[in-house]
Amino acid sequence: MDNGDGNLISVFETIVNAASESVANTPKLLPVLKEAGVVDAGGQGLYTILEGALRYLRGEAEQMQFRKPLIIASSVAQPARAIRISAAEEIAFGYCTEFLLRGSGFDPIKLRRA
């Protein structure tokens, strides 16, 4: 007896595919994303949740713990430009940590080391 799982999986496959296309399109919707050459982080996060739900429905829950989520690339072509390396790019972690300091006479190198 069919319990409808096949239909639900088919619907989720359509949702995940549409979400992927939508996230890739976000730089066309927000000029700041287009300028940076990135997709919307919130959209990427929602896509990851939906993809996880689809994989769970397919019975792939155990394999999910060993795989990294798919990162969607922008569908907008980026012009060639000079690359500027900043201290922020030296950080090896995939999350953002920010500090706001008030005052003067700070030595950025000493602060980074500390």
Side-chain angles (χ1 to χ4, degrees), residues 19-83:
S20 175
E21 290 176 22
S22 181
V23 171
N25 191 48
T26 57
K28 294 178 184 174
L29 304 174
L30 292 171
V32 69
L33 296 177
K34 183 176 184 176
E35 183 180 328
V38 297
V39 297
D40 180 72
Q44 172 69 51
L46 179 58
Y47 165 81
T48 301
I49 291 169
L50 294 170
E51 182 193 26
L54 174 59
R55 291 185 178 279
Y56 177 82
L57 289 172
R58 287 181 178 161
E60 301 171 0
E62 192 170 311
Q63 298 95 337
M64 287 172 35
Q65 66 180 325
F66 300 112
R67 78 177 274 291
K68 293 183 179 183
L70 173 67
I71 304 300
I72 300 170
S74 169
S75 64
V76 177
Q78 290 296 305
R81 59 183 167 159
I83 297 173

Side-chain angles (χ1 to χ4, degrees), residues 88-99:
E89 293 171 354
E90 296 171 11
I91 298 172
F93 303 104
Y95 53 86
C96 181
T97 303
E98 297 180 23
F99 296 92

